């Protein structure tokens, strides 16, 4: 799993938006509880931000060099599907 979260050099920031209580963000919370320590350990200088807000749809944002940004919705996805989406964002540049 550790190689999976080795971020591309072009990645400058990863941001997760999710609700701290709602059911539609449960898989995102579960994924972050499991994967955040590994991501941070493998990428200590890349900011990984967790933004909690009541009632928001779970999403992940990846910001690359030159201000380019991609986002993916995490609503309705399982833990494994979220892992696949996040891996796709952090491995590939814009």
């Amino acid at each position: 799993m550790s190689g999976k979260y080795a971020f591309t050099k072009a990645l400058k920031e990863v941001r997760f938006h999710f609700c701290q209580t709602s059911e539609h963000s449960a898989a995102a919370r579960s994924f972050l509880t499991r994967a955040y320590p590994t991501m941070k350990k493998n990428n200590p200088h890349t900011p990984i931000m967790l933004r909690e807000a009541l009632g928001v749809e779970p999403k992940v944002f990846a910001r690359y060099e030159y201000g380019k940004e991609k986002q993916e919705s995490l609503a309705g996805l399982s833990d494994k599907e979220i892992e696949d989406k996040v891996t796709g964002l952090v491995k590939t540049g814009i």
Side-chain angles (χ1 to χ4, degrees), residues 54-82:
L54 192 60
V56 299
E57 178 184 336
K59 292 183 182 180
V60 60
F61 297 82
R63 188 174 54 82
Y64 304 93
E65 46 193 17
Y66 307 114
K68 304 288 186 186
E69 193 167 281
K70 284 185 183 177
Q71 70 174 321
E72 293 282 347
S73 174
L74 305 177
L77 301 179
S78 69
D79 188 281
K80 175 67 176 138
E81 292 169 324
I82 291 172

Side-chain angles (χ1 to χ4, degrees), residues 4-71:
K4 188 179 295 185
Y5 296 121
F7 297 169
T8 180
K9 296 285 185 208
L11 186 69
K12 300 301 178 195
E13 167 187 294
V14 179
R15 219 169 40 247
F16 291 90
H17 291 202
F18 59 96
C19 178
Q20 62 268 51
T21 57
S22 69
E23 194 58 40
H24 65 271
S25 288
R29 289 191 307 270
S30 170
F31 168 77
L32 288 168
T33 300
R34 178 180 59 78
Y36 178 83
T38 305
M39 285 191 288
K40 197 59 188 172
K41 180 181 175 191
N42 290 320
N43 308 283
H45 302 295
T46 303
I48 302 171
M49 296 183 279
L50 309 178
R51 300 289 184 244
E52 298 177 324
L54 192 60
V56 299
E57 178 184 336
K59 292 183 182 180
V60 60
F61 297 82
R63 188 174 54 82
Y64 304 93
E65 46 193 17
Y66 307 114
K68 304 288 186 186
E69 193 167 281
K70 284 185 183 177
Q71 70 174 321

